């Protein structure tokens, strides 16, 4: 069994974060204060910390399999059925994808389903799945 990871990330609107992570992504909410909210993201602890938006929000992308992948980003590797259910839920919520759900590296080592989207504060998230999870670190 994997141990849960913890990540804290900035958001500029806690109410919008609560709706997006709690309702759209269906993450149960844990502890919270006027400055932060804990969420259970598929068994991992993510914490949205209030940080006012700055005038410059630098974005960076790296090319991967013909797509511009936003950097930084975070997410979870899911089972294929959970990944498909999440993709369906995001489509039903009219989520604007940065990279639409698709199969990356099709027919190659490391073949995986992936999708990228932004939270209301502009944080990039990637969720992926493998038909064969042993390909997670394959070269």
């Amino acid at each position: 069994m994997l141990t849960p990871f913890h990540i804290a990330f900035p958001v500029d609107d806690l109410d919008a974060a609560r709706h997006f992570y709690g309702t759209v992504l269906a993450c149960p909410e844990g502890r919270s204060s006027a400055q932060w909210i804990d969420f259970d993201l598929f068994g991992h602890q993510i914490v949205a910390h209030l940080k006012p938006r700055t005038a410059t929000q630098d974005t960076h992308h790296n090319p991967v399999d013909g797509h511009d992948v936003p950097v930084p980003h975070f997410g979870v590797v899911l089972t294929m059925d959970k990944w498909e259910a999440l993709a369906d839920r995001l489509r039903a919520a009219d989520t604007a994808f940065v990279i639409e759900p698709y199969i990356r590296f099709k027919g190659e080592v490391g073949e995986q389903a992936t999708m990228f989207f932004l939270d209301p504060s502009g944080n990039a998230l990637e969720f992926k799945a493998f038909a064969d999870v042993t390909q997670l670190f394959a070269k």
Side-chain angles (χ1 to χ4, degrees), residues 61 64-70 83-84 86-105 112-118 125-129:
H61 294 83
V64 179
D65 193 39
H67 291 86
D68 289 331
V69 170
W83 182 88
E84 290 168 347
L86 178 59
D88 290 344
R89 188 165 61 247
L90 291 167
R91 285 184 186 111
D94 294 323
T95 300
F97 289 96
V98 174
I99 299 174
E100 293 277 341
Y102 85 107
I103 303 298
R104 175 192 286 166
F105 308 132
Q112 59 194 261
T114 189
M115 62 180 135
F116 286 82
F117 49 93
L118 304 178
L125 290 93
E126 176 187 19
F127 286 81
K128 59 172 70 178

Side-chain angles (χ1 to χ4, degrees), residues 6-12 14 35-38 47-52:
H6 163 84
I7 186 168
F9 57 97
V11 299
D12 56 21
L14 283 177
Q35 301 297 314
W36 53 268
I37 307 168
D38 282 351
V47 186
H49 279 269
L50 186 59
K51 177 184 179 222

Side-chain angles (χ1 to χ4, degrees), residues 2-26:
L2 290 176
T3 57
F5 71 82
H6 163 84
I7 186 168
F9 57 97
V11 299
D12 56 21
D13 183 331
L14 283 177
D15 290 332
R18 180 173 274 121
H19 172 75
F20 181 77
Y21 289 94
T23 303
V24 177
L25 293 184

Side-chain angles (χ1 to χ4, degrees), residues 45-83:
Q45 183 191 44
I46 64 171
V47 186
H49 279 269
L50 186 59
K51 177 184 179 222
R53 184 177 293 270
T54 60
T56 57
Q57 297 289 95
D58 293 339
T59 59
H60 180 78
H61 294 83
N62 283 332
V64 179
D65 193 39
H67 291 86
D68 289 331
V69 170
V71 177
H73 64 265
F74 69 92
V76 176
V77 177
L78 302 172
T79 61
M80 194 62 76
D81 60 328
K82 286 185 180 180
W83 182 88

